[in-house]
Amino acid sequence: MAFANLHNPYFSDRLPASAAGREAASYVLAPAPSRYFGIEGDTVAVPFTVVSSSAHSAVFSAELSRDNVVLARLGLPAPGDQISLFRALDVRVEGNSNANCSCPAGGLPQTSGSKRVCVEAAAAEEQLTPRGCPNAEERRKTAAVLIRRAPFSIKDALEPVADPATPVSLSAGTELFVLDVPISGKLPKGDLRLRITVKPADGEAKTAEMPLRVLSLRLEQFPSLDLSYWMSEDPRDLVARPDGVPLNGRWGGEWWGSEHWGHLERAARLLAGLGVTNTLVPLFVRSPFGIDAQALIPVRCITGDDVAPTDTSAVAERGRPPPLNAAIASWRFEFDFARFQRWVSIFKAAGFRRFEGAHLFANGGKLPAVLECDLYTNRFAPAPYARRFQFLPVSRDGAESESEQRLRESIYRESFLPTFLPLLEKEIDKAGIAGQYWQHVIDENASTDEAVAAYAAGAELVHKYLRGVQTIDAINKYEAPRYASLLDIPVMHLFLIYDDQVRRGSIRKEIDALFPGRKYFYNTALRAGGPNRFLDTNPLDSRVHGWLALETGYDGFLYWAANVYRYPVVSDYSATGRSPDWSPYLFSQGPRPGGFVAPAYGAGGNWLLYPAPAGLTDSLRARRLRDGLLDHWLYLRAWRHCEGANQAACRAKLIGVKARLTRDPSTIADFSRDPGDYDNARELMIGILEN
């Protein structure tokens, strides 16, 4: 048994300190830190390994003490708060990450007709690489930073050990555990001792000790960096699939029932503890992946009729709009915000400080995927005469003209949203989040003139009806000048901020000039060795994000998927390539829209959290990302602490350590991959704050 470094990769079939078989220069193995630091209000994560030649069981104990006085114990009441134990579980990586075009081991994506498929690498032809997938040179750069060739298993998911006093079954090989040591105000400041003991059922106890220094600091206004990690609200994405339930079955409770809300509360607390500050609020668009999914904000369509439209033909007659379009144009809309208020109250109570309204339009200004309402004759009708009627379908049938689709978009833009948004403004005030609520318009909008015009029209609606609410959206192509007057909070793709400087050297200055206020960055499937936070790339991909924020001067980081498993909803899901035993523990390549897994997203790209029987649980990648948030917080504190005659020299040290970690600011793949560099940076910042 030995202490470990959180930022090393851990494999069951390899010794913790062994580099045997690893890809050259893909990562550096670092020893455990020489000591840990505790900040009041924080929780210190202390990893350790147990290596066994055969399967057996053991009992774990841990205590934090000073001068032989126990201050906190594992799993038992003590003067301090209770220490908790987590076990790192194996996650299978069936194929290495290849941006959003990942295939099982030995495969490459190819174009086959109108579809993307995976074929044996030996049979792949470069000219058939699907559009948007990495080319051979990009694949070569990514392969250079992979930590291991697939298939393999790696430690990532963290499972709480409910009762450490009960023997824990250990497998042969390497096991990784993490102790959570809460630093409460009851603990004395200064040097304490953390002692861990592992007692095998048939052997001698093994003990290790580590110094833990409690600082005269409080974790206030943490994190200093905004973190938006979007969470799926599907009940099936919030808890483990029970044994015997098919992959396309139901679990997790009814939509918006008590069980569902309970899992959402647990998820909110978990995410907040990991440093997530922003929640994406689903609004009136229901999830396309859930079984019998229901929108957070139900819509009532007041029709003046008592029979649901049955004539859904798309063809106009004699210059008139199709029957359904003509009917919808006369409808009125009402909304029930009770669940919206409950969502906000749950995430506020958990500690979230930003609320992002879900996107109002699909790319290019198209209608959202699924808009449903219950049909009422009039607003006083006690019950609807039809439920879950898809009243604004994106498209109808092949005979429908584009102008008829545009008619429904105009109804949505000119009638539906002008009704909804003023009501939403009142609910925002009622919830007490005025100034904390932002509104998405279109995600990663296209760069055509038509698409930019559609964004302008959507942003105009937001600014007109949600007074004082800022717009926030992702930009994945260099269109910043066209969005400068439309978008309040840009979310810039890291590739634009870094590697695009090779082609456009002034890009950072242009972005800063066009958007002088708050800015976020994001990354999805970065190529050329950039920090992806995938399971098969360097563990420091997660921690470096805090340092990238310091290097760019940006205020927040956004990512689209904390728990997006995209379970199938159809009875026959064989076309998706999903195995009946699919789970994020056994298959890590992330399902694409529609649930397809060949090709798929990168390993672990769709989730940072894992489903457990009691609800979602976190991961090593999540802990590493939070470590980066703490680095960011400490850096800003240390920067302000540098003062007096020594200010310039003090800040020069901080600038130097930042440069050592982030390296060449024009190359996204050039950052330190040595955990020791980050541990040394932590020591430096603590040293400044203690002086």
Side-chain angles (χ1 to χ4, degrees), residues 3-10 30-33 36 47 176 543 624 675-676 679:
F3 288 102
N5 195 302
L6 186 68
H7 301 282
N8 289 337
Y10 293 93
Y36 283 94
L176 178 69
R543 185 169 181 175
R624 292 161 180 156
D679 293 337

Side-chain angles (χ1 to χ4, degrees), residues 8 70 97 119 161 172 190 231 383 416 514 560 569 580-581 591 616 664 675:
N8 289 337
V70 176
S97 299
V119 302
V161 177
M231 183 189 72
F416 183 88
L514 292 165
W560 67 277
V569 297
D581 65 343
L616 291 174
D664 184 354

